[in-house]
């Protein structure tokens, strides 16, 4: 599934349920899911794929709430140099 399709799927299936929640809830949820992903990856747990999917879902949902087109954001990412990308990661 491509990014645009995933974003549309999330909007259609979960948008109404997530819309009433405060935006800070979405940000907090992303941080929680990222922590669970980190724990799974660092401990070598077999469910890293599920944790990645959870992070992806929360990210897509948050993008929908903020009106961000993730496909366009991914295109912008692909146009950056590796040095810029690594630099934005704080290295």
């Amino acid at each position: 599934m491509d990014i645009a399709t995933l974003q549309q799927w999330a909007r259609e299936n979960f948008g109404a349920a997530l819309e009433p929640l405060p935006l800070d809830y979405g940000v907090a949820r992303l941080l929680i899911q990222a922590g669970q992903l980190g724990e799974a990856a660092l401990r070598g747990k077999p469910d890293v794929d599920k944790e990645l999917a959870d992070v992806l879902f929360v990210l897509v949902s948050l993008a929908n709430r903020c009106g961000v087109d993730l496909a366009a954001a991914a295109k912008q990412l692909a146009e950056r140099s590796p040095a810029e990308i690594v630099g934005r990661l704080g290295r």
Side-chain angles (χ1 to χ4, degrees):
M1 181 182 297
D2 63 38
I3 293 173
T5 302
L6 178 63
Q7 196 165 1
Q8 183 63 32
W9 169 83
R11 185 180 301 112
E12 289 172 359
N13 290 284
F14 303 96
L18 298 176
E19 187 64 32
L21 300 173
L23 194 55
D24 59 350
Y25 173 83
V27 172
R29 202 66 237 164
L30 182 61
L31 295 173
I32 290 166
Q33 293 302 146
Q36 291 175 356
L37 169 60
E39 182 179 348
L42 294 173
R43 295 180 189 248
K45 293 183 178 180
D47 58 347
V48 173
D49 58 337
K50 292 176 184 163
E51 296 300 341
L52 277 165
D54 289 347
V55 168
L56 182 58
F57 174 77
V58 175
L59 179 66
V60 166
S61 298
L62 192 56
N64 283 342
R65 293 284 311 277
C66 293
V68 173
D69 177 347
L70 282 177
K75 184 178 178 192
Q76 290 176 6
L77 178 64
E79 294 170 352
R80 293 181 187 162
S81 70
E84 182 182 357
I85 292 169
V86 171
R88 291 182 60 88
L89 297 176
R91 294 190 149 228

